[in-house]
Every structure is written in structure tokens, then in C-alpha cells.
């Protein structure tokens, strides 16, 4: 709580008023704690290495490889540092958008909070499937604020991010083109399927345009990015070191969650320097230096332990909520949001986002980023809730068994509806294309 003195115009003049206002102030220590929580393993290792170089009070407690020699220890040439073989982390779509929001935009904190929540729910392609009403209920704000937040999100780069459909994504990009072809918007709004099927003759009839104009417009359309988030996905597979390991506990349906020791540094304060600090005069230059360094070292150690505890809590909560995935595989992944885990643990969703960002879990079904366990989906909150990954798995199975007469996207949507899954034809088309499956016409050929 702060007392704020300001000038206000009243009764034709100005007066000095004093009010108390609540304002969150992040100290440098709190900023460092938040930063450490969000760091992925390779970045954390580099940060710790730098701290070990800068602060003589710090020593590594259990890493196999040390960055500096301390009294009574030596480094063997046969030491193997597994973290040096972990692929570096590229900037994610979420990080890219949050940086623009925090640095480039001058918005009120409440509005930034809503935009951050939207960013946290984007899928890998940069799309957001939740509607304004759902988001307003989850955030407990007016729907008008959510709509305003959407407008802010869609002004960020890359263009097209935050769209709810392919046509909307392409329109957002087309609006930013310096020279938009006169036919481009019409192609996006009404003729995407005809463009995909190369029905030039039909387009000539419907648009009353020449083949040359249509071909030029289609070329411009193809220059747009249907998946604006794809640029932030690694093009080549890399090796990652899992932060946590999830294994069957032996009992039916039970799982054990363990931290991967190689991914978590354990530090302690050097005993010799600790002893020297206790005996030195605090008012002398040497004493001031040692006490300052000791305080910094102790705080860093607390931050690292808090990071370990938070990640362990978050992962255990994820395992509890996504138990079907860990038992039966990705097809059983259920829709879940950051807020679900935040409410379960009594934490803020931003804390869950930071804890999950860039962290990986080793499971019986492979290694997954923790963000994978927060998919959007259908029938959320009901017993038959199903995630997008589960829908894709069912879609592949339906197409695999369709026989000589391929199902149209509408027929596939109807099949899902019969199973109690409300999915539109456009969504079926989007999922089919993301799986690299051709349309019914091309499958028939």
C-alpha cells in the first residue's frame, strides 16, 4: 500500500490531495526468482555457471562437472557433462508475443493480464479456439474486455496470430499487405476450397475475372502463412534433457513423479568463506563484500529450491488431471487450461505458465513439453471431455477405415456428432490438413 500525493482540479482550481493505492512492486530479488522459475534447463545451467564465476561463496553440490576448481576437488578429463549435449532452446511463440506485450505496448496491467492469458492458450499454430464468452467466464471479466484484448493480440507479430479459423488468419495477414490484390479477400472468404482444388475454371465463372488475375491473386494467397506459429517450432529434431520423469509406481493407476537430477543444480555455500564471513568486521570493505555475496548466494539457493518444489507440484498436479494419458497414451489427453492447475494448487496461472515453459517430462509414451498437457478441446467440464489430440487420433482412425468411398469433411463431422463430440466441418478440415491427409476428392483419386 502506497500513499500517493497528486494534483486534482476542483471547484475551478487545483488542490493537493493524498490517497492510498495498492500497487504491486517487483523487487530485483522477486524478478530474479521469477526469471529462475521460467528458465529451461540449458539456460539455467548457463546462468548458474555465471553465478559460480561471479560469487566465490557458491559451490556446486552434486553436478558431475564443475566450472571452477575449489579446495580439495579436481576435474577429471573423463567427466561427462550431459547438459552440454542438450539442444539449445529457441524462442517460443509465447515468449515472442509476451516480449512485444511487455516492451512495446503501453497497456494497463489488467488488460495485459487478459492478453497474457490469451497468449498462454494459443496452440502451436498460433490459433485460439476459445470464444469470448468462455474466456470472460474463466477470467471473470466483462466480455467487452476480452474482445478488446483480442484486438491487441492480433496487432502483434507474427500477423495472423490469435485467429480462430484459417480464413480469419489469412485475412489478418492480408490486411497488413502493402499491396493487397483486389481478388485476395474474396478468395479467402469464399473460395479457399476451390483454390486448394485448383478449380480455376470455376473461379473464372464465379469471380468474373481473367485467369491471369486469378493466378496472381492465388500466388499472393499462397505467400501467406496458414500457421503463423510454425516459424517458432524447431525445424530439425533436437535432443532435450527431461526435467521430470513420470513412471508407473507399481500399483495400478499410480504414478511416481521424480525430478531429473542432471537437470537441477544443487548449490551450497563454501564452508571456508562462510567461516571467514563470521569472523570479519561487517563495517570494513572486506566484510561488506563477503556479507553481500553470502546474502546473494543464500537467496539464489532458496530460488533454486523453490523452483524444484514448484515444478514438482505442478507436474504432480498435471499427472493427476491427465491420468488417462499416462495410462493409455496421447489419444486420451483431456482438455485442460493453466487455470485448472492454478486453482488446484492455489497458485496464479502465470506461475503455472512459467513453471511449464520450456520444461520437459519423460513418460512411457515419450518426452513431452509440459505445455503439451494443456490442450484445448471439446465438452470441457463434462465426463466425455476430449482434447484436440484425441479428436485427431479418432479422425485418423475414421479415415483409415473409410473404404473405397472416402468421407467428406461434413460426413466426418457428422460421425463425430454421433459420438457426442460437437465439431464443425471447418475444424475437421483444419485437423485433417494438420495431419497431412488429403481431401476426400484426392483420397478417392
Amino acid at each position: 500500500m502506497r500513499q500517493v500525493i497528486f494534483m486534482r482540479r476542483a471547484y475551478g482550481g487545483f488542490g493537493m490531495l493524498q490517497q492510498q493505492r495498492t500497487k504491486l512492486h517487483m523487487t530485483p530479488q522477486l524478478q530474479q526468482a521469477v526469471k529462475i522459475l521460467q528458465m529451461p534447463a540449458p539456460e539455467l545451467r548457463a546462468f548458474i555457471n555465471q553465478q559460480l564465476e561471479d560469487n566465490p561463496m557458491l559451490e556446486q553440490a552434486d553436478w558431475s562437472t564443475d566450472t571452477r576448481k575449489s579446495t580439495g576437488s579436481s576435474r577429471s578429463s573423463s567427466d561427462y557433462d550431459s547438459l552440454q549435449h542438450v539442444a539449445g532452446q529457441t524462442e517460443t511463440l509465447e515468449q515472442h508475443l509476451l516480449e512485444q506485450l511487455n516492451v512495446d505496448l503501453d497497456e494497463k496491467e489488467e488488460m495485459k493480464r487478459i492478453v497474457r492469458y490469451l497468449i498462454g492458450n494459443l496452440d502451436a499454430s498460433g490459433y485460439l479456439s476459445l470464444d469470448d464468452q468462455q474466456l470472460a467466464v474463466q477470467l471473470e471479466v466483462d466480455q467487452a474486455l476480452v474482445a478488446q484484448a483480442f484486438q491487441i493480440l492480433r496487432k502483434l507479430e507474427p500477423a495472423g496470430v490469435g485467429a480462430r479459423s484459417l480464413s480469419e488468419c489469412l485475412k489478418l495477414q492480408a490486411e497488413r499487405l502493402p499491396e493487397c490484390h483486389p481478388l485476395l479477400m474474396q478468395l479467402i472468404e469464399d473460395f479457399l476450397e476451390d483454390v486448394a482444388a485448383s478449380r480455376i475454371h470455376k473461379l473464372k465463372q464465379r469471380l468474373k475475372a481473367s485467369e491471369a488475375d486469378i493466378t496472381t491473386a492465388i500466388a499472393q494467397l499462397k505467400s501467406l502463412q496458414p500457421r503463423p506459429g510454425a516459424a517458432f517450432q524447431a525445424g530439425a529434431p533436437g535432443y532435450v534433457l527431461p526435467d521430470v520423469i513420470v513412471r508407473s509406481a507399481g500399483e495400478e493407476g499410480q504414478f511416481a513423479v521424480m525430478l531429473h537430477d542432471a537437470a537441477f543444480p544443487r548449490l551450497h555455500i563454501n564452508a571456508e568463506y562462510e567461516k571467514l564471513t563470521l569472523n570479519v568486521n561487517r563495517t570494513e570493505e572486506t566484510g561488506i563484500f563477503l556479507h553481500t555475496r553470502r546474502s546473494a548466494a543464500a537467496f539464489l539457493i532458496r530460488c533454486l529450491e523453490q523452483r524444484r518444489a514448484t515444478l514438482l507440484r505442478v507436474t504432480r498436479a498435471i499427472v493427476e488431471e491427465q491420468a488417462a494419458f499416462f495410462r493409455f497414451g496421447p489419444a486420451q489427453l483431456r482438455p485442460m487450461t493453466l487455470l485448472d492447475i492454478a486453482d488446484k494448487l492455489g497458485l496464479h496461472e502465470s506461475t503455472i505458465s512459467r513453471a511449464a515453459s520450456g520444461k520437459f517430462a519423460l513418460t512411457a509414451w515419450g518426452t513431452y513439453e509440459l505445455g503439451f498437457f494443456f490442450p484445448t478441446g471439446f465438452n470441457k467440464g463434462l465426463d466425455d471431455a476430449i482434447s484436440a489430440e484425441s479428436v485427431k487420433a479418432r479422425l485418423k482412425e475414421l479415415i483409415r477405415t473409410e473404404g473405397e468411398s472416402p468421407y467428406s469433411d461434413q460426413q466426418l463431422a457428422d460421425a463425430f456428432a454421433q459420438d457426442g463430440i460437437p465439431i464443425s466441418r471447418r475444424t475437421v478440415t483444419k485437423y485433417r490438413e494438420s495431419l497431412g491427409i488429403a481431401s476426400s476428392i484426392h483420397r478417392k483419386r
Side-chain angles (χ1 to χ4, degrees):
M1 187 75 71
R2 286 189 173 184
Q3 289 187 340
V4 182
I5 299 176
F6 59 95
M7 300 292 292
R8 173 180 288 177
R9 187 176 183 88
Y11 304 108
F14 288 94
M16 191 77 72
L17 301 175
Q18 181 173 293
Q19 287 187 354
Q20 286 189 334
R21 293 181 179 177
T22 301
K23 184 176 182 181
L24 178 63
H25 178 65
M26 290 189 69
T27 64
Q29 290 82 3
L30 180 57
Q31 292 176 10
Q32 184 184 46
V34 170
K35 181 180 178 181
I36 289 174
L37 175 62
Q38 189 165 351
M39 286 180 181
E43 185 179 337
L44 181 65
R45 178 62 191 263
F47 174 75
I48 293 300
N49 286 346
Q50 186 61 52
Q51 295 300 308
L52 287 165
E53 291 293 336
D54 295 343
N55 193 340
M57 282 285 179
L58 286 171
E59 278 189 339
Q60 293 184 135
D62 65 348
W63 273 355
S64 60
T65 303
D66 204 341
T67 56
R68 66 159 192 247
K69 296 180 181 179
S70 58
T71 304
S73 66
S74 62
R75 177 174 179 174
S76 168
S77 60
S78 62
D79 287 343
Y80 177 78
D81 183 3
S82 60
L83 284 178
Q84 291 183 358
H85 297 269
V86 180
Q89 296 291 312
T90 57
E91 185 182 40
T92 65
L93 175 63
E94 181 179 8
Q95 291 170 339
H96 182 68
L97 294 171
L98 287 176
E99 182 177 5
Q100 296 175 66
L101 177 65
N102 295 329
V103 176
D104 299 334
L105 297 182
D106 185 19
E107 298 290 341
K108 293 182 179 179
E109 186 57 34
E110 174 64 10
M111 182 56 61
K112 285 188 176 182
R113 182 183 75 88
I114 300 173
V115 179
R116 281 196 293 267
Y117 187 80
L118 301 184
I119 291 173
N121 281 278
L122 294 174
D123 63 23
S125 298
Y127 287 79
L128 185 58
S129 59
L130 300 175
D131 60 34
D132 288 7
Q133 185 176 1
Q134 288 177 299
L135 290 164
V137 171
Q138 292 176 5
L139 290 165
E140 299 181 347
V141 298
D142 291 338
Q143 197 167 323
L145 288 178
V146 174
Q148 185 180 345
F150 257 111
Q151 296 303 315
I152 295 172
L153 173 61
R154 289 167 179 171
K155 291 178 182 178
L156 303 179
E157 295 290 342
V161 73
R164 290 194 172 100
S165 66
L166 174 63
S167 60
E168 185 179 29
C169 176
L170 297 176
K171 284 175 63 177
L172 290 171
Q173 296 176 60
E175 290 170 354
R176 297 196 194 182
L177 292 175
E179 295 181 8
C180 181
H181 194 281
L183 297 177
L184 181 58
M185 283 297 186
Q186 200 169 354
L187 288 178
I188 293 173
E189 292 175 354
D190 303 316
F191 301 105
L192 283 180
E193 290 188 5
D194 294 324
V195 171
S198 299
R199 302 188 187 110
I200 303 298
H201 182 69
K202 180 179 178 180
L203 290 171
K204 287 169 60 179
Q205 292 180 328
R206 297 290 300 276
L207 295 171
K208 308 298 183 183
S210 67
E211 183 171 339
D213 275 346
I214 293 173
T215 302
T216 302
I218 290 177
Q220 191 174 48
L221 173 60
K222 290 182 177 180
S223 70
L224 304 179
Q225 173 55 266
R227 299 173 60 235
F232 296 86
Q233 300 173 25
Y239 296 97
V240 296
L241 186 69
D243 299 83
V244 291
I245 301 171
V246 182
R247 290 177 177 166
S248 174
E251 301 177 14
E252 185 176 355
Q254 298 298 315
F255 296 92
V257 179
M258 299 162 286
L259 297 175
H260 191 184
D261 289 339
F264 284 89
R266 283 192 179 276
L267 305 180
H268 62 245
I269 294 175
N270 182 286
E272 295 297 326
Y273 280 109
E274 172 81 352
K275 183 178 179 181
L276 182 60
T277 303
L278 294 175
N279 297 326
V280 75
N281 190 331
R282 286 175 176 263
T283 60
E284 295 178 356
E285 183 177 353
T286 302
I288 294 173
F289 173 82
L290 290 175
H291 280 281
T292 301
R293 295 296 181 174
R294 190 196 181 286
S295 297
F299 181 75
L300 176 59
I301 291 171
R302 289 197 301 272
C303 287
L304 293 174
E305 290 304 316
Q306 183 63 41
R307 182 183 187 272
R308 292 171 62 90
T310 301
L311 184 55
L312 196 57
R313 287 185 66 202
V314 169
T315 307
R316 283 173 175 164
I318 289 173
V319 172
E320 290 177 7
E321 293 296 314
Q322 297 288 9
F325 165 89
F326 292 96
R327 292 189 192 119
F328 308 113
Q332 297 300 317
L333 194 66
R334 294 170 60 85
M336 186 171 71
T337 66
L338 296 171
L339 190 58
D340 292 331
I341 299 298
D343 289 343
K344 184 180 182 71
L345 298 178
L347 300 173
H348 194 277
E349 61 262 34
S350 64
T351 301
I352 306 301
S353 176
R354 292 186 178 99
S357 177
K359 317 300 190 307
F360 291 83
L362 175 63
T363 75
W365 308 100
T367 300
Y368 295 88
E369 189 170 5
L370 292 185
F372 171 81
F373 298 104
F374 296 93
T376 56
F378 307 87
N379 296 343
K380 188 176 184 299
L382 304 178
D383 291 339
D384 59 348
I386 185 171
S387 71
E389 291 296 323
S390 301
V391 171
K392 289 179 182 179
R394 293 195 187 188
L395 179 60
K396 289 171 66 176
E397 183 62 21
L398 282 172
I399 293 176
R400 187 182 68 81
T401 59
E402 64 188 358
E404 297 182 359
S405 300
Y407 297 127
S408 68
D409 290 347
Q410 185 59 57
Q411 289 174 321
L412 290 168
D414 293 340
F416 278 112
Q418 291 177 2
D419 291 337
I421 303 172
I423 183 172
S424 68
R425 178 190 60 78
R426 287 187 177 183
T427 303
V428 170
T429 302
K430 180 179 71 172
Y431 288 171
R432 175 178 55 73
E433 291 175 346
S434 70
L435 293 169
I437 299 174
S439 65
S440 58
I441 294 176
H442 291 89
R443 295 202 305 276
K444 186 173 183 179
R445 293 175 184 174

